[in-house]
Amino acid sequence: MMLIVMGRVGDAWLVLSTKANATVLDEYVELADRALGSPSWAVGRVVTDSAFLTEVCSRVYVYLPVGAAVIAFFQLRNVARDGFPRHHIVRTFLIIGMIGPIVYFIFPVVGPTYAFGHELAGAGWQDVWPWVSPDITEPVAAPYSQFIARNCMPSLHTAWAMAIFLHGWRGSTASRIFGTFWLIATTGATLGFGFHYAVDVLAGAVFTLTLEAALTRPETGWTRIRMGVVAMGAAMFAGLLALTRYAAMELATGGAAATALLLAPLVITAAGFLLVERPELLSVEDRPGGPTFPGRRRRIFAQRSQV
């Protein structure tokens, strides 16, 4: 029921995003996406040409709450006996839905099938998606129909699918397989149907990794490492948006360096998240429990030897 309520609240956010922004920044995102090979155009052609992929991706895209419910079942099926876990997927889903839409007002984007395709007849600037890259000489914040939500940056479908993936990997083999499939299929759907650019997808993944770094393993508390990772994730997310908005032309022509620059926020945030999720990866001195001193180690070893 909470997920359903969140969906209705999200619909209200989408309507407000259309009223607040008469212009959109799709030209900037499309140019930045060229540093990644314009994946929406490439995946869009593949999905468009395959009835099977179209059916699978559409089902996964529409039934996102069902995917969350499956992982919630794995996590919460024993709560009558064991009590609720301190961290579970429903909490992550709700927080993503509450915070994510705020960015729509800061960075309004409608998506390639709307801005450069035929999803809304007569509304697009160039009807070329997914076959031909649009001709953009100088990106501008261009006016667009205010009947279409500015709900692309970040891709919350990707953010939620990333949550399904992360929580799935905390469970059984079946939940891991399910979470991995859902993330891959959702990414294929968001790009293949032209609802998002690849930069939106990257931003959605960074967004969820940052939130999960703040929420995961609550028993360890707010350590300096957790606070640093969350601050770094927020900075990476803001940096990705700033790069897209103010360096789109340079990214489009920057080659491998531009590609690495766009992928770096995801890689860095993922590494930071792992430090919070798996503190055993840290050196002994940096772990939340503090260092284990050599003298203490010798005493423990001696006691075990006597036993």
Side-chain angles (χ1 to χ4, degrees):
M1 290 182 65
M2 291 175 70
L3 292 175
I4 293 171
V5 171
M6 181 197 70
R8 301 291 72 78
V9 173
D11 290 343
W13 275 111
L14 297 185
V15 173
L16 291 173
S17 75
T18 66
K19 304 302 181 184
N21 296 290
T23 61
V24 295
L25 303 175
D26 282 73
E27 290 190 356
Y28 293 92
V29 188
E30 196 283 323
L31 281 175
D33 237 32
R34 296 183 187 184
L36 302 169
S38 298
S40 182
W41 267 252
V43 179
R45 289 192 291 268
V46 173
V47 172
T48 300
D49 289 338
S50 172
F52 173 75
L53 288 177
T54 298
E55 181 67 17
V56 171
C57 289
S58 64
R59 296 293 180 184
V60 170
Y61 193 86
V62 171
Y63 293 135
L64 177 71
V66 176
V70 170
I71 298 300
F73 166 76
F74 281 112
Q75 292 183 325
L76 307 177
R77 65 187 185 277
N78 295 322
V79 295
R81 182 190 66 200
D82 304 329
F84 269 85
R86 294 183 64 186
H87 180 48
H88 50 82
I89 192 170
V90 178
R91 175 178 296 174
T92 303
F93 251 62
L94 293 174
I95 293 178
I96 289 173
M98 287 188 294
I99 299 177
I102 296 173
V103 188
Y104 298 160
F105 295 84
I106 303 171
F107 207 106
V109 181
V110 295
T113 190
Y114 288 99
F116 305 107
H118 49 268
E119 188 70 24
L120 184 64
W125 305 315
Q126 304 175 46
D127 189 357
V128 294
W129 183 88
W131 309 110
V132 180
S133 295
D135 182 19
I136 301 174
T137 55
E138 185 68 32
V140 295
Y144 194 83
S145 168
Q146 289 185 270
F147 292 102
I148 301 300
R150 277 67 167 141
N151 62 335
C152 278
M153 181 65 82
S155 168
L156 292 193
H157 253 83
T158 302
W160 281 313
M162 176 64 77
I164 291 173
F165 170 78
L166 294 175
H167 284 269
W169 270 84
R170 296 188 180 107
S172 63
T173 301
S175 72
R176 291 181 180 186
I177 293 173
F178 180 83
T180 303
F181 162 77
W182 207 270
L183 177 60
I184 294 172
T186 299
T187 303
T190 57
L191 296 174
F193 294 142
F195 297 148
H196 290 282
Y197 304 89
V199 175
D200 306 336
V201 172
L202 292 177
V206 171
F207 182 70
T208 296
L209 286 167
T210 302
L211 287 181
E212 271 292 302
L215 297 172
T216 191
R217 298 185 67 104
E219 68 276 6
T220 63
W222 276 90
T223 62
R224 286 180 298 175
I225 292 173
R226 185 193 299 272
M227 290 188 288
V229 169
V230 172
M232 178 191 66
M236 291 294 104
F237 180 79
L240 184 59
L241 267 61
L243 268 176
T244 304
R245 174 62 177 83
Y246 297 107
M249 290 292 293
E250 291 76 8
L251 290 171
T253 58
T259 304
L261 201 58
L262 286 177
L263 293 176
L266 176 60
V267 174
I268 293 171
T269 308
F273 165 77
L274 284 175
L275 292 181
V276 178
E277 176 75 8
R278 301 282 301 277
E280 62 269 21
L281 299 176
L282 297 170
S283 64
V284 173
E285 290 76 11
D286 292 333
R287 292 178 189 172
T292 301
F293 296 100
R296 184 184 174 191
R297 289 180 184 171
R298 286 195 293 270
R299 289 195 300 272
I300 293 174
F301 180 77
Q303 291 170 0
R304 289 178 178 174
S305 300
Q306 292 171 3
V307 173

